[in-house]
Amino acid sequence: PGAARRARASASGAPLAVVTGATGRTGSLVVKELLSRPASEVGAVRALVRDDGKASETLPADERLEVVNVDLADVQAAEEACSGASYIIWCAQGDGRAAGGVEKAKGVFGTLVRALKLRLGVKEEPTAPKEPAAGAALEQPKEPTALDVAAKAAEASGGRLVFLSSASVTRPAWSAAKREAYEAVADIPIVRLNPFGVLDLTRLAEQRVREAGCEYVIVRPVGLRDTTGAKSWPRGRPVLSQHDVLVGRANREDVAYTLVEAAQVPDAEGKTLEMLTLASDAYPAPVDGLPFGLLLTDKQRVAMNEDVGFGAAPEGSAGEAATRAAFLAAQQLLPGEVQDATRLEMGRTYEQLDDGKVDRKKGTAPTERELALANRAQG
């Protein structure tokens, strides 16, 4: 039998799913995945977009689909658009705040500062919860954002918020000892450069979701890849993990499937998880759903004294022992033959590493090409 799902009725009587960032490369796939479900599970889908033209090109024509033009920087409009939802799947970048010119300039400066420290051999200390990070003020916003009101709307309707995050978000805040112990996942391009402080800001957004009071699930895929095209990665079996030690590739369609499952399966509630796609004919997609019930809740992980990104854990804690076990399994799931993600440069592939076309030495400063890519990432 398939995984148990709960069909949550909205105010109109049919389960309503709201998707932010609905015209994005992942958000549009979430919309399609929702519309593939029977009406008993998803009665209607409300896609929040900023560009009607792009929506007409990207989203399918379906009588269950409602397209709403919303600027998430308009918090009141975002709250109204999320009202009455049974499921809210957050695929928009960040928490909905628009980055102005000053913030973007600070982000570029912060990336350059981190790169300079690497070139000079200066070790960057972990970013503590209230300590300003280079290029971004590492503190929660003083006013509610669209993400906050989405969580409020989910709580009011008895619905669930699923937040699309990213693997690696806790790693900049790990203690120096933990970074050294898990160098294989801490010394990788996205963590070394942390463009625009995106990992720190996403980690803070995650924490606001946890504290909002609504049902939630946080999904952190590893490197995203399309099914076709340059640097593609095929669909396969979504593999779930925890403790933020996963590295590899995730097919966007598999991510969309995982997000929708997380919205509907009761056992996923209150959990943060990482996922990748195991692409092989020997490992097809499961027919009985994903094993959310085997994962720990965030409350259980805190009780086990795991370092979840906001302070070091006691040495030898049960939470850190679980992290070590997850790390052992994760390292055996890396793509390619070399099996060492620290030797990659930003924008390079495991195949190029296997072919000898890229081979970064540990401790090497970012190249000019990597800096250019990092500064375009959110520019």
Side-chain angles (χ1 to χ4, degrees):
R5 293 174 179 80
R6 180 165 54 190
R8 304 158 178 263
S10 67
S12 64
L16 168 65
V18 172
V19 182
T20 68
T23 57
R25 292 165 68 185
T26 303
S28 60
L29 294 172
V30 170
V31 171
K32 293 172 184 176
E33 179 66 33
L34 286 164
L35 291 172
S36 74
R37 305 297 172 106
S40 59
E41 293 182 15
V42 181
V45 178
R46 183 179 297 157
L48 308 190
V49 307
R50 290 188 301 175
D51 186 332
D52 290 328
K54 186 177 181 181
S56 63
E57 296 172 358
T58 306
L59 302 179
D62 192 292
E63 62 181 8
R64 288 189 291 162
L65 178 62
E66 175 191 9
V67 177
V68 180
N69 193 312
V70 176
D71 182 350
L72 294 179
D74 184 340
V75 175
Q76 183 176 351
E79 184 171 11
E80 293 172 357
C82 292
S83 177
S86 305
Y87 321 111
I88 301 172
I89 303 182
W90 189 275
C91 298
Q93 190 175 62
D95 56 21
R97 288 178 291 171
V102 174
E103 286 77 12
K104 289 181 179 180
K106 287 182 178 179
V108 173
F109 176 73
T111 305
L112 293 174
V113 167
R114 282 186 286 276
L116 180 60
K117 286 182 176 180
L118 286 168
R119 290 185 177 185
L120 296 176
V122 177
K123 290 188 176 181
E124 190 167 359
E125 293 302 315
T127 48
K130 296 183 180 179
E131 176 188 348
L138 193 55
E139 59 184 19
Q140 300 288 15
K142 295 179 173 57
E143 299 295 330
T145 67
L147 177 62
D148 299 311
V149 298
K152 179 180 175 183
E155 182 181 20
S157 64
R160 177 179 292 177
L161 173 63
V162 179
F163 181 65
L164 174 58
S165 181
S166 170
S168 303
V169 295
T170 71
R171 298 173 203 174
W174 283 355
S175 67
K178 185 167 182 175
R179 285 207 237 180
E180 183 176 356
Y182 298 108
E183 182 184 41
V185 297
D187 187 24
I188 63 174
I190 185 62
V191 181
R192 289 197 303 269
L193 287 166
N194 191 8
F196 294 81
V198 64
L199 298 179
D200 300 311
L201 296 174
T202 304
R203 185 172 72 253
L204 290 177
E206 284 188 0
Q207 193 62 13
R208 298 212 307 282
V209 170
R210 295 187 186 99
E211 296 171 353
C214 65
E215 283 196 16
Y216 73 88
V217 188
I218 296 171
V219 178
R220 300 167 170 168
V222 295
L224 295 170
R225 292 289 186 269
D226 295 321
T227 305
T228 59
K231 299 182 181 179
S232 60
W233 191 248
R235 292 202 69 173
R237 178 174 297 176
V239 174
L240 309 185
S241 181
Q242 291 186 301
H243 314 293
D244 199 15
V245 290
L246 205 60
V247 177
R249 289 176 178 158
N251 175 279
R252 287 184 189 273
E253 292 180 75
D254 288 334
V255 173
Y257 169 78
T258 302
L259 290 167
V260 174
E261 288 287 289
Q264 295 185 314
V265 176
D267 281 346
E269 200 276 318
K271 298 177 179 179
T272 299
L273 58 111
E274 294 79 52
M275 65 88 45
L276 59 71
T277 294
L278 190 60
S280 168
D281 292 340
Y283 296 97
V287 296
D288 290 339
L290 300 175
F292 292 108
L294 300 179
L295 301 175
L296 297 170
T297 66
D298 290 342
K299 289 181 179 179
Q300 288 173 319
R301 292 168 65 180
V302 170
M304 292 166 61
N305 286 319
E306 178 187 342
D307 175 7
V308 294
F310 289 92
E315 186 175 353
S317 70
E320 290 306 294
T323 301
R324 171 57 64 177
F327 175 74
L328 171 62
Q331 285 295 288
Q332 298 175 74
L333 296 175
L334 283 169
E337 299 173 346
V338 174
Q339 298 282 289
D340 186 352
T342 69
R343 291 163 66 179
L344 284 171
E345 294 179 3
M346 180 168 278
R348 301 303 191 194
T349 68
Y350 292 96
E351 289 80 7
Q352 289 173 319
L353 183 59
D354 287 346
D355 292 341
K357 295 178 180 178
V358 60
D359 190 4
R360 171 189 175 267
K361 306 303 180 186
K362 291 182 180 180
T364 302
T367 65
E368 295 299 325
R369 185 194 60 80
E370 286 186 285
L371 287 176
L373 280 176
N375 286 326
R376 285 204 306 266
Q378 292 198 1

